[in-house]
Amino acid sequence: MKLFETEYLFAHPWCTLTLANWQKYPNQYSSHVLSVDVLDRSVDPETGILTTERLLCCKQSAPALLRRILPIPEVAYFREISYLDPRSQTYTAISTNLSMRSFINLEEKCEYKADPEHPEGKTVFTQQAAVSAMGVLSYGAKLVEESAVNSFHKNAARGRQGLETIVEKLVEEAKAVEQGFKDGLETHLRKGNMGVPEP
Amino acid sequence: MTSLSPDCNELKKQYDDCFNKWYANKFLQGDTTPECEDLFKLYRACIWRAIKEKNLDQLISDARKEKPFSGPEDTRTGET
């Protein structure tokens, strides 16, 4: 098992980043992402937590050596489940590979959380990935896992750059949303819930 | 962003546009009552047809057994 972890501080408020995150694809840094679909989505009326299940289809990034020994498909499918909590200003998304699971297990966890020191202006982004190779691949596990971690590294940087380009596009809309989010949050914190606002 | 199936692109676009507006103008402002449900039903029916055609339904249901579509308590247990 090989782990990868990175942390980054975005100079944007949490509400803006999550707004951009839903619109992240396509962007100029994400040519490896071929399609994104929502499979299921719901809001818990008690907690206000938004749960989303998505299916992502990406270009295969397995090393050439492996592709010679195994019938690796051209594309890889990932399922992502995410929980967005507006009260704690936390968004957590966990992605796992759907294909090739008898050979390799990839799990990536991304979290956007309002920076406790600057909750209105900055967001802490953490990204963790765990890779484990199994079955026939366990013989070459070190190689496979290192290669997977390398692509996480590359894609992590691209992912951040991609998100920044979307934030730039949304800058005007985001200003209004940020003010409304702040007002809404204050109202609801006073009321002690995140339910439907009074008419 | 395109859908898994070109047949669903238009339905996906309509749903995504509706969701993004709702997320910005309702959800983040404190009104968490869902909207866009009708558009989602149409889009979801389309995407699940494509998933079955590509034989991805079994892979998805296996993954759901490991990590069900449920509250964030799951992620918290995963962290420890």
Side-chain angles (χ1 to χ4, degrees), chain A residues 18 34 36-41 53 79 83 94 101 109 180-181 195-196, chain B residues 1-4 12 15 23 28-30 33 43-44 64 66-67 70 75 79:
Chain A
T18 57
L34 302 173
V36 180
D37 283 287
V38 179
L39 301 180
D40 207 349
R41 181 173 262 155
E53 181 186 39
R79 173 185 182 252
Y83 309 99
I94 299 166
R101 286 188 68 84
K109 182 173 158 188
F181 181 63
V196 186
Chain B
M1 190 67 205
T2 54
S3 168
L4 177 67
K12 174 180 154 65
Y15 169 70
Y23 184 74
L28 285 178
Q29 320 297 321
T33 316
Y43 162 49
R44 193 159 67 167
R64 279 179 168 175
E66 282 175 37
K67 266 206 175 48
S70 61
T75 53
E79 273 170 19

PDB file of all heavy atoms in Angstrom, chain A residues 18 34 36-41 53 79 83 94 101 109 180-181 195-196, chain B residues 1-4 12 15 23 28-30 33 43-44 64 66-67 70 75 79:
ATOM      1  N   THR A  18     -16.606  25.589  -3.711  1.00  0.00           N
ATOM      2  CA  THR A  18     -17.526  24.472  -3.960  1.00  0.00           C
ATOM      3  C   THR A  18     -18.405  24.770  -5.171  1.00  0.00           C
ATOM      4  O   THR A  18     -18.700  23.876  -5.950  1.00  0.00           O
ATOM      5  CB  THR A  18     -18.395  24.151  -2.727  1.00  0.00           C
ATOM      6  OG1 THR A  18     -19.118  25.327  -2.342  1.00  0.00           O
ATOM      7  CG2 THR A  18     -17.558  23.669  -1.559  1.00  0.00           C
ATOM      8  N   LEU A  34     -12.876  12.361 -19.230  1.00  0.00           N
ATOM      9  CA  LEU A  34     -13.662  12.266 -20.467  1.00  0.00           C
ATOM     10  C   LEU A  34     -15.148  12.540 -20.240  1.00  0.00           C
ATOM     11  O   LEU A  34     -15.807  13.136 -21.085  1.00  0.00           O
ATOM     12  CB  LEU A  34     -13.478  10.876 -21.089  1.00  0.00           C
ATOM     13  CG  LEU A  34     -12.034  10.497 -21.423  1.00  0.00           C
ATOM     14  CD1 LEU A  34     -11.960   9.047 -21.878  1.00  0.00           C
ATOM     15  CD2 LEU A  34     -11.452  11.413 -22.487  1.00  0.00           C
ATOM     16  N   VAL A  36     -18.344  13.104 -16.895  1.00  0.00           N
ATOM     17  CA  VAL A  36     -18.749  13.129 -15.492  1.00  0.00           C
ATOM     18  C   VAL A  36     -20.270  13.078 -15.456  1.00  0.00           C
ATOM     19  O   VAL A  36     -20.929  13.839 -16.158  1.00  0.00           O
ATOM     20  CB  VAL A  36     -18.282  14.425 -14.776  1.00  0.00           C
ATOM     21  CG1 VAL A  36     -18.717  14.413 -13.313  1.00  0.00           C
ATOM     22  CG2 VAL A  36     -16.781  14.607 -14.868  1.00  0.00           C
ATOM     23  N   ASP A  37     -20.834  12.162 -14.669  1.00  0.00           N
ATOM     24  CA  ASP A  37     -22.286  12.061 -14.561  1.00  0.00           C
ATOM     25  C   ASP A  37     -22.703  11.947 -13.101  1.00  0.00           C
ATOM     26  O   ASP A  37     -21.999  11.345 -12.294  1.00  0.00           O
ATOM     27  CB  ASP A  37     -22.793  10.820 -15.313  1.00  0.00           C
ATOM     28  CG  ASP A  37     -22.813  11.048 -16.817  1.00  0.00           C
ATOM     29  OD1 ASP A  37     -23.690  11.800 -17.266  1.00  0.00           O
ATOM     30  OD2 ASP A  37     -21.944  10.496 -17.522  1.00  0.00           O
ATOM     31  N   VAL A  38     -23.861  12.516 -12.812  1.00  0.00           N
ATOM     32  CA  VAL A  38     -24.427  12.391 -11.464  1.00  0.00           C
ATOM     33  C   VAL A  38     -25.320  11.155 -11.458  1.00  0.00           C
ATOM     34  O   VAL A  38     -26.219  11.028 -12.286  1.00  0.00           O
ATOM     35  CB  VAL A  38     -25.255  13.642 -11.097  1.00  0.00           C
ATOM     36  CG1 VAL A  38     -25.853  13.488  -9.695  1.00  0.00           C
ATOM     37  CG2 VAL A  38     -24.404  14.889 -11.174  1.00  0.00           C
ATOM     38  N   LEU A  39     -25.045  10.236 -10.537  1.00  0.00           N
ATOM     39  CA  LEU A  39     -25.854   9.014 -10.441  1.00  0.00           C
ATOM     40  C   LEU A  39     -26.974   9.164  -9.426  1.00  0.00           C
ATOM     41  O   LEU A  39     -28.062   8.632  -9.608  1.00  0.00           O
ATOM     42  CB  LEU A  39     -24.971   7.823 -10.041  1.00  0.00           C
ATOM     43  CG  LEU A  39     -23.811   7.480 -10.972  1.00  0.00           C
ATOM     44  CD1 LEU A  39     -23.047   6.284 -10.425  1.00  0.00           C
ATOM     45  CD2 LEU A  39     -24.304   7.193 -12.373  1.00  0.00           C
ATOM     46  N   ASP A  40     -26.688   9.858  -8.354  1.00  0.00           N
ATOM     47  CA  ASP A  40     -27.696  10.052  -7.320  1.00  0.00           C
ATOM     48  C   ASP A  40     -27.331  11.304  -6.526  1.00  0.00           C
ATOM     49  O   ASP A  40     -26.158  11.673  -6.461  1.00  0.00           O
ATOM     50  CB  ASP A  40     -27.726   8.820  -6.386  1.00  0.00           C
ATOM     51  CG  ASP A  40     -29.099   8.629  -5.754  1.00  0.00           C
ATOM     52  OD1 ASP A  40     -29.949   9.546  -5.873  1.00  0.00           O
ATOM     53  OD2 ASP A  40     -29.317   7.578  -5.137  1.00  0.00           O
ATOM     54  N   ARG A  41     -28.345  11.918  -5.946  1.00  0.00           N
ATOM     55  CA  ARG A  41     -28.071  13.145  -5.186  1.00  0.00           C
ATOM     56  C   ARG A  41     -29.232  13.398  -4.238  1.00  0.00           C
ATOM     57  O   ARG A  41     -30.382  13.214  -4.616  1.00  0.00           O
ATOM     58  CB  ARG A  41     -27.906  14.308  -6.160  1.00  0.00           C
ATOM     59  CG  ARG A  41     -27.599  15.624  -5.495  1.00  0.00           C
ATOM     60  CD  ARG A  41     -27.278  16.676  -6.525  1.00  0.00           C
ATOM     61  NE  ARG A  41     -25.852  16.865  -6.702  1.00  0.00           N
ATOM     62  CZ  ARG A  41     -25.291  17.333  -7.810  1.00  0.00           C
ATOM     63  NH1 ARG A  41     -26.033  17.593  -8.854  1.00  0.00           N
ATOM     64  NH2 ARG A  41     -23.985  17.532  -7.884  1.00  0.00           N
ATOM     65  N   GLU A  53     -23.502  11.262  -5.680  1.00  0.00           N
ATOM     66  CA  GLU A  53     -22.751  10.129  -6.215  1.00  0.00           C
ATOM     67  C   GLU A  53     -22.501  10.398  -7.691  1.00  0.00           C
ATOM     68  O   GLU A  53     -23.444  10.699  -8.435  1.00  0.00           O
ATOM     69  CB  GLU A  53     -23.573   8.853  -6.040  1.00  0.00           C
ATOM     70  CG  GLU A  53     -22.880   7.602  -6.532  1.00  0.00           C
ATOM     71  CD  GLU A  53     -23.802   6.379  -6.473  1.00  0.00           C
ATOM     72  OE1 GLU A  53     -25.001   6.503  -6.769  1.00  0.00           O
ATOM     73  OE2 GLU A  53     -23.301   5.287  -6.144  1.00  0.00           O
ATOM     74  N   ARG A  79     -15.995   5.843  -9.270  1.00  0.00           N
ATOM     75  CA  ARG A  79     -17.211   6.282  -8.585  1.00  0.00           C
ATOM     76  C   ARG A  79     -16.781   7.228  -7.474  1.00  0.00           C
ATOM     77  O   ARG A  79     -15.852   6.937  -6.716  1.00  0.00           O
ATOM     78  CB  ARG A  79     -17.942   5.089  -7.973  1.00  0.00           C
ATOM     79  CG  ARG A  79     -19.125   5.474  -7.100  1.00  0.00           C
ATOM     80  CD  ARG A  79     -19.707   4.213  -6.453  1.00  0.00           C
ATOM     81  NE  ARG A  79     -20.865   4.473  -5.626  1.00  0.00           N
ATOM     82  CZ  ARG A  79     -20.852   4.412  -4.300  1.00  0.00           C
ATOM     83  NH1 ARG A  79     -19.738   4.148  -3.644  1.00  0.00           N
ATOM     84  NH2 ARG A  79     -21.962   4.626  -3.617  1.00  0.00           N
ATOM     85  N   TYR A  83     -19.904  14.399   0.313  1.00  0.00           N
ATOM     86  CA  TYR A  83     -20.779  14.944   1.352  1.00  0.00           C
ATOM     87  C   TYR A  83     -20.427  16.414   1.524  1.00  0.00           C
ATOM     88  O   TYR A  83     -19.261  16.744   1.758  1.00  0.00           O
ATOM     89  CB  TYR A  83     -20.567  14.204   2.676  1.00  0.00           C
ATOM     90  CG  TYR A  83     -20.647  12.705   2.521  1.00  0.00           C
ATOM     91  CD1 TYR A  83     -19.498  11.936   2.418  1.00  0.00           C
ATOM     92  CD2 TYR A  83     -21.884  12.065   2.434  1.00  0.00           C
ATOM     93  CE1 TYR A  83     -19.558  10.565   2.240  1.00  0.00           C
ATOM     94  CE2 TYR A  83     -21.957  10.693   2.256  1.00  0.00           C
ATOM     95  CZ  TYR A  83     -20.790   9.952   2.160  1.00  0.00           C
ATOM     96  OH  TYR A  83     -20.866   8.596   1.979  1.00  0.00           O
ATOM     97  N   ILE A  94     -14.928  11.123  -1.933  1.00  0.00           N
ATOM     98  CA  ILE A  94     -14.102   9.916  -1.954  1.00  0.00           C
ATOM     99  C   ILE A  94     -14.317   9.197  -3.277  1.00  0.00           C
ATOM    100  O   ILE A  94     -15.456   8.888  -3.641  1.00  0.00           O
ATOM    101  CB  ILE A  94     -14.469   8.984  -0.781  1.00  0.00           C
ATOM    102  CG1 ILE A  94     -14.224   9.717   0.537  1.00  0.00           C
ATOM    103  CG2 ILE A  94     -13.659   7.689  -0.827  1.00  0.00           C
ATOM    104  CD1 ILE A  94     -14.847   9.042   1.710  1.00  0.00           C
ATOM    105  N   ARG A 101     -10.515  -3.890 -10.480  1.00  0.00           N
ATOM    106  CA  ARG A 101     -10.433  -3.976  -9.030  1.00  0.00           C
ATOM    107  C   ARG A 101      -9.776  -5.259  -8.519  1.00  0.00           C
ATOM    108  O   ARG A 101      -9.358  -5.329  -7.362  1.00  0.00           O
ATOM    109  CB  ARG A 101     -11.814  -3.812  -8.393  1.00  0.00           C
ATOM    110  CG  ARG A 101     -12.308  -2.385  -8.436  1.00  0.00           C
ATOM    111  CD  ARG A 101     -13.567  -2.219  -7.641  1.00  0.00           C
ATOM    112  NE  ARG A 101     -13.348  -2.377  -6.210  1.00  0.00           N
ATOM    113  CZ  ARG A 101     -12.929  -1.411  -5.410  1.00  0.00           C
ATOM    114  NH1 ARG A 101     -12.648  -0.231  -5.900  1.00  0.00           N
ATOM    115  NH2 ARG A 101     -12.778  -1.624  -4.139  1.00  0.00           N
ATOM    116  N   LYS A 109      -9.247  10.721  -1.533  1.00  0.00           N
ATOM    117  CA  LYS A 109     -10.158  11.514  -0.710  1.00  0.00           C
ATOM    118  C   LYS A 109      -9.756  12.982  -0.807  1.00  0.00           C
ATOM    119  O   LYS A 109      -8.597  13.337  -0.571  1.00  0.00           O
ATOM    120  CB  LYS A 109     -10.054  11.037   0.737  1.00  0.00           C
ATOM    121  CG  LYS A 109     -11.003  11.766   1.656  1.00  0.00           C
ATOM    122  CD  LYS A 109     -10.964  11.112   3.016  1.00  0.00           C
ATOM    123  CE  LYS A 109     -11.446  12.084   4.062  1.00  0.00           C
ATOM    124  NZ  LYS A 109     -11.253  11.581   5.401  1.00  0.00           N
ATOM    125  N   GLY A 180     -24.467  36.413   0.141  1.00  0.00           N
ATOM    126  CA  GLY A 180     -25.683  35.693   0.516  1.00  0.00           C
ATOM    127  C   GLY A 180     -25.391  34.539   1.456  1.00  0.00           C
ATOM    128  O   GLY A 180     -26.138  34.277   2.390  1.00  0.00           O
ATOM    129  N   PHE A 181     -24.282  33.868   1.212  1.00  0.00           N
ATOM    130  CA  PHE A 181     -23.902  32.720   2.046  1.00  0.00           C
ATOM    131  C   PHE A 181     -23.621  33.197   3.468  1.00  0.00           C
ATOM    132  O   PHE A 181     -24.069  32.604   4.436  1.00  0.00           O
ATOM    133  CB  PHE A 181     -22.676  32.033   1.447  1.00  0.00           C
ATOM    134  CG  PHE A 181     -22.215  30.831   2.230  1.00  0.00           C
ATOM    135  CD1 PHE A 181     -23.034  29.725   2.378  1.00  0.00           C
ATOM    136  CD2 PHE A 181     -20.960  30.814   2.808  1.00  0.00           C
ATOM    137  CE1 PHE A 181     -22.618  28.606   3.096  1.00  0.00           C
ATOM    138  CE2 PHE A 181     -20.536  29.700   3.528  1.00  0.00           C
ATOM    139  CZ  PHE A 181     -21.365  28.607   3.673  1.00  0.00           C
ATOM    140  N   GLY A 195     -32.431  24.885   7.776  1.00  0.00           N
ATOM    141  CA  GLY A 195     -33.624  24.484   7.022  1.00  0.00           C
ATOM    142  C   GLY A 195     -34.083  25.556   6.059  1.00  0.00           C
ATOM    143  O   GLY A 195     -33.323  26.435   5.672  1.00  0.00           O
ATOM    144  N   VAL A 196     -35.316  25.487   5.675  1.00  0.00           N
ATOM    145  CA  VAL A 196     -35.895  26.434   4.728  1.00  0.00           C
ATOM    146  C   VAL A 196     -36.059  27.784   5.423  1.00  0.00           C
ATOM    147  O   VAL A 196     -36.593  27.852   6.533  1.00  0.00           O
ATOM    148  CB  VAL A 196     -37.277  25.931   4.269  1.00  0.00           C
ATOM    149  CG1 VAL A 196     -37.844  26.812   3.177  1.00  0.00           C
ATOM    150  CG2 VAL A 196     -37.185  24.494   3.796  1.00  0.00           C
TER     151      VAL A 196
ATOM    152  N   MET B   1     -19.510  19.790 -19.393  1.00  0.00           N
ATOM    153  CA  MET B   1     -18.839  18.486 -19.455  1.00  0.00           C
ATOM    154  C   MET B   1     -19.772  17.475 -20.091  1.00  0.00           C
ATOM    155  O   MET B   1     -20.962  17.451 -19.802  1.00  0.00           O
ATOM    156  CB  MET B   1     -18.506  18.040 -18.024  1.00  0.00           C
ATOM    157  CG  MET B   1     -17.600  16.833 -17.969  1.00  0.00           C
ATOM    158  SD  MET B   1     -15.974  17.270 -18.593  1.00  0.00           S
ATOM    159  CE  MET B   1     -15.358  15.709 -19.154  1.00  0.00           C
ATOM    160  N   THR B   2     -19.218  16.629 -20.939  1.00  0.00           N
ATOM    161  CA  THR B   2     -20.055  15.655 -21.616  1.00  0.00           C
ATOM    162  C   THR B   2     -20.421  14.494 -20.681  1.00  0.00           C
ATOM    163  O   THR B   2     -19.792  14.272 -19.658  1.00  0.00           O
ATOM    164  CB  THR B   2     -19.346  15.073 -22.861  1.00  0.00           C
ATOM    165  OG1 THR B   2     -18.086  14.585 -22.437  1.00  0.00           O
ATOM    166  CG2 THR B   2     -19.169  16.127 -23.928  1.00  0.00           C
ATOM    167  N   SER B   3     -21.469  13.803 -21.096  1.00  0.00           N
ATOM    168  CA  SER B   3     -21.954  12.651 -20.350  1.00  0.00           C
ATOM    169  C   SER B   3     -21.283  11.390 -20.893  1.00  0.00           C
ATOM    170  O   SER B   3     -20.666  11.402 -21.953  1.00  0.00           O
ATOM    171  CB  SER B   3     -23.464  12.576 -20.510  1.00  0.00           C
ATOM    172  OG  SER B   3     -23.948  11.355 -20.044  1.00  0.00           O
ATOM    173  N   LEU B   4     -21.437  10.309 -20.158  1.00  0.00           N
ATOM    174  CA  LEU B   4     -20.944   8.998 -20.582  1.00  0.00           C
ATOM    175  C   LEU B   4     -21.511   8.644 -21.961  1.00  0.00           C
ATOM    176  O   LEU B   4     -20.825   8.060 -22.790  1.00  0.00           O
ATOM    177  CB  LEU B   4     -21.393   7.976 -19.537  1.00  0.00           C
ATOM    178  CG  LEU B   4     -21.082   6.514 -19.750  1.00  0.00           C
ATOM    179  CD1 LEU B   4     -19.581   6.278 -19.676  1.00  0.00           C
ATOM    180  CD2 LEU B   4     -21.797   5.675 -18.696  1.00  0.00           C
ATOM    181  N   LYS B  12     -28.286  16.151 -19.494  1.00  0.00           N
ATOM    182  CA  LYS B  12     -27.295  16.456 -18.456  1.00  0.00           C
ATOM    183  C   LYS B  12     -27.072  17.957 -18.352  1.00  0.00           C
ATOM    184  O   LYS B  12     -27.010  18.510 -17.263  1.00  0.00           O
ATOM    185  CB  LYS B  12     -25.971  15.753 -18.752  1.00  0.00           C
ATOM    186  CG  LYS B  12     -24.854  16.136 -17.783  1.00  0.00           C
ATOM    187  CD  LYS B  12     -23.551  15.434 -18.104  1.00  0.00           C
ATOM    188  CE  LYS B  12     -22.342  16.221 -17.628  1.00  0.00           C
ATOM    189  NZ  LYS B  12     -22.216  16.380 -16.186  1.00  0.00           N
ATOM    190  N   TYR B  15     -29.959  19.645 -16.615  1.00  0.00           N
ATOM    191  CA  TYR B  15     -29.942  19.371 -15.180  1.00  0.00           C
ATOM    192  C   TYR B  15     -28.802  20.131 -14.492  1.00  0.00           C
ATOM    193  O   TYR B  15     -29.000  20.770 -13.458  1.00  0.00           O
ATOM    194  CB  TYR B  15     -29.826  17.863 -14.905  1.00  0.00           C
ATOM    195  CG  TYR B  15     -29.540  17.599 -13.451  1.00  0.00           C
ATOM    196  CD1 TYR B  15     -30.522  17.837 -12.490  1.00  0.00           C
ATOM    197  CD2 TYR B  15     -28.288  17.185 -13.022  1.00  0.00           C
ATOM    198  CE1 TYR B  15     -30.256  17.666 -11.143  1.00  0.00           C
ATOM    199  CE2 TYR B  15     -28.011  17.012 -11.687  1.00  0.00           C
ATOM    200  CZ  TYR B  15     -28.993  17.253 -10.736  1.00  0.00           C
ATOM    201  OH  TYR B  15     -28.712  17.093  -9.411  1.00  0.00           O
ATOM    202  N   TYR B  23     -27.716  25.639  -6.520  1.00  0.00           N
ATOM    203  CA  TYR B  23     -26.643  25.570  -5.522  1.00  0.00           C
ATOM    204  C   TYR B  23     -26.199  26.975  -5.103  1.00  0.00           C
ATOM    205  O   TYR B  23     -26.049  27.265  -3.917  1.00  0.00           O
ATOM    206  CB  TYR B  23     -25.459  24.757  -6.062  1.00  0.00           C
ATOM    207  CG  TYR B  23     -24.377  24.591  -5.033  1.00  0.00           C
ATOM    208  CD1 TYR B  23     -24.548  23.717  -3.960  1.00  0.00           C
ATOM    209  CD2 TYR B  23     -23.208  25.341  -5.084  1.00  0.00           C
ATOM    210  CE1 TYR B  23     -23.590  23.593  -2.975  1.00  0.00           C
ATOM    211  CE2 TYR B  23     -22.232  25.223  -4.101  1.00  0.00           C
ATOM    212  CZ  TYR B  23     -22.422  24.347  -3.054  1.00  0.00           C
ATOM    213  OH  TYR B  23     -21.475  24.240  -2.064  1.00  0.00           O
ATOM    214  N   LEU B  28     -26.726  27.605  -1.035  1.00  0.00           N
ATOM    215  CA  LEU B  28     -25.713  28.349  -0.283  1.00  0.00           C
ATOM    216  C   LEU B  28     -26.313  29.523   0.488  1.00  0.00           C
ATOM    217  O   LEU B  28     -25.679  30.076   1.380  1.00  0.00           O
ATOM    218  CB  LEU B  28     -24.596  28.839  -1.212  1.00  0.00           C
ATOM    219  CG  LEU B  28     -23.586  27.795  -1.686  1.00  0.00           C
ATOM    220  CD1 LEU B  28     -22.576  28.427  -2.635  1.00  0.00           C
ATOM    221  CD2 LEU B  28     -22.846  27.125  -0.524  1.00  0.00           C
ATOM    222  N   GLN B  29     -27.543  29.901   0.129  1.00  0.00           N
ATOM    223  CA  GLN B  29     -28.181  31.005   0.860  1.00  0.00           C
ATOM    224  C   GLN B  29     -29.049  30.468   2.005  1.00  0.00           C
ATOM    225  O   GLN B  29     -29.746  31.234   2.654  1.00  0.00           O
ATOM    226  CB  GLN B  29     -29.041  31.860  -0.088  1.00  0.00           C
ATOM    227  CG  GLN B  29     -28.455  32.111  -1.460  1.00  0.00           C
ATOM    228  CD  GLN B  29     -27.143  32.896  -1.429  1.00  0.00           C
ATOM    229  OE1 GLN B  29     -27.002  33.808  -0.639  1.00  0.00           O
ATOM    230  NE2 GLN B  29     -26.204  32.540  -2.284  1.00  0.00           N
ATOM    231  N   GLY B  30     -29.039  29.157   2.201  1.00  0.00           N
ATOM    232  CA  GLY B  30     -29.730  28.599   3.355  1.00  0.00           C
ATOM    233  C   GLY B  30     -31.018  27.856   3.049  1.00  0.00           C
ATOM    234  O   GLY B  30     -31.603  27.242   3.929  1.00  0.00           O
ATOM    235  N   THR B  33     -34.143  23.197   0.246  1.00  0.00           N
ATOM    236  CA  THR B  33     -35.210  22.420  -0.408  1.00  0.00           C
ATOM    237  C   THR B  33     -34.804  22.085  -1.845  1.00  0.00           C
ATOM    238  O   THR B  33     -34.498  22.991  -2.617  1.00  0.00           O
ATOM    239  CB  THR B  33     -36.523  23.235  -0.461  1.00  0.00           C
ATOM    240  OG1 THR B  33     -36.705  23.859   0.796  1.00  0.00           O
ATOM    241  CG2 THR B  33     -37.707  22.354  -0.786  1.00  0.00           C
ATOM    242  N   TYR B  43     -32.743  12.864 -16.751  1.00  0.00           N
ATOM    243  CA  TYR B  43     -31.314  12.659 -16.988  1.00  0.00           C
ATOM    244  C   TYR B  43     -30.860  11.326 -16.399  1.00  0.00           C
ATOM    245  O   TYR B  43     -30.133  10.553 -17.029  1.00  0.00           O
ATOM    246  CB  TYR B  43     -30.540  13.844 -16.403  1.00  0.00           C
ATOM    247  CG  TYR B  43     -29.075  13.633 -16.168  1.00  0.00           C
ATOM    248  CD1 TYR B  43     -28.244  13.103 -17.156  1.00  0.00           C
ATOM    249  CD2 TYR B  43     -28.488  13.992 -14.951  1.00  0.00           C
ATOM    250  CE1 TYR B  43     -26.886  12.923 -16.929  1.00  0.00           C
ATOM    251  CE2 TYR B  43     -27.144  13.815 -14.713  1.00  0.00           C
ATOM    252  CZ  TYR B  43     -26.350  13.269 -15.698  1.00  0.00           C
ATOM    253  OH  TYR B  43     -25.011  13.092 -15.467  1.00  0.00           O
ATOM    254  N   ARG B  44     -31.359  11.036 -15.202  1.00  0.00           N
ATOM    255  CA  ARG B  44     -30.931   9.802 -14.536  1.00  0.00           C
ATOM    256  C   ARG B  44     -31.398   8.554 -15.304  1.00  0.00           C
ATOM    257  O   ARG B  44     -30.644   7.591 -15.433  1.00  0.00           O
ATOM    258  CB  ARG B  44     -31.448   9.764 -13.096  1.00  0.00           C
ATOM    259  CG  ARG B  44     -30.776   8.672 -12.300  1.00  0.00           C
ATOM    260  CD  ARG B  44     -30.861   8.890 -10.839  1.00  0.00           C
ATOM    261  NE  ARG B  44     -32.220   8.782 -10.334  1.00  0.00           N
ATOM    262  CZ  ARG B  44     -32.508   8.681  -9.043  1.00  0.00           C
ATOM    263  NH1 ARG B  44     -31.558   8.702  -8.145  1.00  0.00           N
ATOM    264  NH2 ARG B  44     -33.757   8.588  -8.652  1.00  0.00           N
ATOM    265  N   ARG B  64     -21.145   0.222  -4.388  1.00  0.00           N
ATOM    266  CA  ARG B  64     -22.135   0.755  -3.438  1.00  0.00           C
ATOM    267  C   ARG B  64     -22.214  -0.095  -2.183  1.00  0.00           C
ATOM    268  O   ARG B  64     -22.521   0.415  -1.114  1.00  0.00           O
ATOM    269  CB  ARG B  64     -23.514   0.799  -4.098  1.00  0.00           C
ATOM    270  CG  ARG B  64     -23.682   2.009  -4.971  1.00  0.00           C
ATOM    271  CD  ARG B  64     -25.033   2.001  -5.624  1.00  0.00           C
ATOM    272  NE  ARG B  64     -25.310   3.294  -6.236  1.00  0.00           N
ATOM    273  CZ  ARG B  64     -26.389   3.540  -6.960  1.00  0.00           C
ATOM    274  NH1 ARG B  64     -27.278   2.581  -7.166  1.00  0.00           N
ATOM    275  NH2 ARG B  64     -26.577   4.733  -7.475  1.00  0.00           N
ATOM    276  N   GLU B  66     -19.696  -1.531  -0.787  1.00  0.00           N
ATOM    277  CA  GLU B  66     -18.552  -1.164   0.049  1.00  0.00           C
ATOM    278  C   GLU B  66     -18.730   0.199   0.684  1.00  0.00           C
ATOM    279  O   GLU B  66     -18.355   0.430   1.826  1.00  0.00           O
ATOM    280  CB  GLU B  66     -17.266  -1.169  -0.780  1.00  0.00           C
ATOM    281  CG  GLU B  66     -16.740  -2.568  -1.026  1.00  0.00           C
ATOM    282  CD  GLU B  66     -15.530  -2.577  -1.954  1.00  0.00           C
ATOM    283  OE1 GLU B  66     -14.709  -1.644  -1.862  1.00  0.00           O
ATOM    284  OE2 GLU B  66     -15.434  -3.495  -2.777  1.00  0.00           O
ATOM    285  N   LYS B  67     -19.254   1.138  -0.092  1.00  0.00           N
ATOM    286  CA  LYS B  67     -19.471   2.507   0.410  1.00  0.00           C
ATOM    287  C   LYS B  67     -20.854   2.955   0.003  1.00  0.00           C
ATOM    288  O   LYS B  67     -21.047   3.520  -1.065  1.00  0.00           O
ATOM    289  CB  LYS B  67     -18.429   3.460  -0.198  1.00  0.00           C
ATOM    290  CG  LYS B  67     -17.245   3.631   0.699  1.00  0.00           C
ATOM    291  CD  LYS B  67     -16.557   4.944   0.479  1.00  0.00           C
ATOM    292  CE  LYS B  67     -15.448   5.119   1.491  1.00  0.00           C
ATOM    293  NZ  LYS B  67     -14.577   3.955   1.606  1.00  0.00           N
ATOM    294  N   SER B  70     -24.838   7.124   1.730  1.00  0.00           N
ATOM    295  CA  SER B  70     -25.411   7.471   3.028  1.00  0.00           C
ATOM    296  C   SER B  70     -24.688   8.675   3.605  1.00  0.00           C
ATOM    297  O   SER B  70     -23.905   9.303   2.930  1.00  0.00           O
ATOM    298  CB  SER B  70     -25.333   6.288   3.978  1.00  0.00           C
ATOM    299  OG  SER B  70     -23.991   5.955   4.164  1.00  0.00           O
ATOM    300  N   THR B  75     -17.557   8.453   6.122  1.00  0.00           N
ATOM    301  CA  THR B  75     -16.226   8.987   5.851  1.00  0.00           C
ATOM    302  C   THR B  75     -15.462   9.133   7.145  1.00  0.00           C
ATOM    303  O   THR B  75     -14.269   8.952   7.197  1.00  0.00           O
ATOM    304  CB  THR B  75     -16.287  10.365   5.182  1.00  0.00           C
ATOM    305  OG1 THR B  75     -17.107  11.206   5.976  1.00  0.00           O
ATOM    306  CG2 THR B  75     -16.799  10.286   3.783  1.00  0.00           C
ATOM    307  N   GLU B  79     -11.737   7.547   8.188  1.00  0.00           N
ATOM    308  CA  GLU B  79     -10.568   8.364   8.504  1.00  0.00           C
ATOM    309  C   GLU B  79      -9.699   7.751   9.596  1.00  0.00           C
ATOM    310  O   GLU B  79      -8.502   7.933   9.611  1.00  0.00           O
ATOM    311  CB  GLU B  79     -11.008   9.743   9.002  1.00  0.00           C
ATOM    312  CG  GLU B  79     -11.236  10.731   7.885  1.00  0.00           C
ATOM    313  CD  GLU B  79     -11.891  12.004   8.375  1.00  0.00           C
ATOM    314  OE1 GLU B  79     -11.846  12.278   9.588  1.00  0.00           O
ATOM    315  OE2 GLU B  79     -12.454  12.703   7.542  1.00  0.00           O
TER     316      GLU B  79
END
